[in-house]
Amino acid sequence: MTSLRSEWTIVDGTRIHARVSQRQHDRGLPVVVLVHGLSVSSRYLVRLGDRLAGDHEVLVPDLPGFGLSDKPSSALDMPALAAVLERWLDARGAGRVVLAGHSLGCQIAIRMAARSPERVGALALLAPTVDPAARSITGQAARLLRDAVREPIPLVAIQLRDYLRTGLRRSLQTLRFAVADEPERQLAQLRMPALVVSGGRDPIVSPTWAATVARLLPDGRLATIEGAAHAMPYSAPERCAALIRELVIGVASRRL
């Protein structure tokens, strides 16, 4: 039984599905928004969302083209996905938020933070892509295959279902947009508190790249979850939740 419920919001004629926390919380704390990775949906983030929802309002959208949300005729690039995410937050009446992206979701979170820094109280970048050492479709595909055998079998089943729903064409186009993106170009302008989380067994995001991301962020720090592969929000939700909760509390204390 999850503490998140499904809801749909129409943004520019597009129905966007999200899983949102059911309990009311202290409105003095910023809302936590979880942003999913490539070709998947909010489903694999439910474990993390459940652990955060006890203390915070949590929003976990399916971005357009993924999960249960409507699918545009063609895939959206990183700036377009960031713009839709912001308009969706506007439609829900969300103010200042903490963005917690995973994998490709980090690239979208970085884009939104760069375009609207006043909306983002803090950033949590869990296994941020794309590592320049493998910034190609073949390089990413090879690392994804290496990661698959390190992830829990139930997660692989969730991912396969989401991949089938997304479709090969949209997945490949989104991956092309992702590898063409260079998130490091925007990091220096992001002045909000930021946390980069690296998995100790993650073959997709190298320790060197994770450390570089944290170093380029003016107010960034790095944490490592030992033993975790790439999909740490699913395999290590307690540890991820504790790190995000610490970040949220820090943002709230700065406002006092």
Side-chain angles (χ1 to χ4, degrees), residues 6 26 33 37 54-55 63 71 76-77 79 85 98 110 122 145 149 188 199 203 205:
S6 285
D26 178 6
V33 183
D55 303 297
L63 296 170
K71 294 176 171 51
L76 303 180
D77 62 12
L85 176 62
V98 170
I110 288 168
L145 289 173
V149 299
V205 178

Side-chain angles (χ1 to χ4, degrees), residues 43-247:
R43 293 176 67 226
Y44 81 104
L45 295 174
V46 166
R47 290 164 65 102
L48 174 56
D50 278 340
R51 284 156 178 82
L52 289 168
D55 303 297
H56 310 285
E57 182 178 354
V58 179
L59 308 176
V60 197
D62 291 342
L63 296 170
F66 307 104
L68 300 178
S69 292
D70 286 350
K71 294 176 171 51
S73 57
S74 59
L76 303 180
D77 62 12
M78 302 302 105
L81 287 169
V84 172
L85 176 62
E86 185 171 7
R87 290 198 297 273
W88 174 73
L89 290 170
D90 289 341
R92 294 197 81 265
R96 203 158 177 251
V97 301
V98 170
L99 285 182
H102 172 247
S103 194
L104 175 131
C106 295
Q107 295 176 247
I108 297 165
I110 288 168
R111 286 280 183 173
M112 181 179 152
R115 62 179 272 142
S116 300
E118 72 284 353
R119 293 291 302 274
V120 182
L123 277 174
L125 305 177
L126 313 178
T129 53
V130 173
D131 189 337
R135 191 167 279 170
S136 67
I137 291 177
T138 55
Q140 287 299 296
R143 291 191 177 193
L144 282 166
L145 289 173
R146 286 171 55 198
D147 181 65
V149 299
R150 304 184 185 190
E151 302 290 0
I153 291 176
L155 171 64
V156 175
I158 290 173
Q159 290 175 324
L160 285 174
R161 182 175 174 182
D162 281 344
Y163 291 160
L164 289 172
R165 186 186 294 272
T166 299
L168 181 60
R169 180 174 173 273
R170 189 179 301 275
S171 295
L172 285 175
Q173 185 60 66
T174 305
L175 179 56
R176 290 190 185 98
F177 288 140
V179 298
D181 190 37
E182 296 180 339
E184 63 270 26
R185 291 179 177 271
Q186 283 126 12
L187 296 178
Q189 64 184 287
L190 304 181
R191 302 291 173 178
M192 66 284 296
L195 170 70
V196 180
V197 184
S198 173
R201 297 179 64 245
D202 185 353
I204 296 176
V205 178
S206 69
T208 299
W209 170 238
T212 298
V213 173
R215 177 176 53 80
L216 291 174
L217 288 160
D219 193 5
R221 69 181 182 92
L222 177 66
T224 300
I225 300 180
E226 298 297 342
H230 187 65
M232 59 185 75
Y234 184 91
S235 61
E238 291 88 357
R239 183 63 178 134
C240 286
L243 290 167
I244 294 171
R245 193 175 294 114
E246 180 182 345
L247 182 67

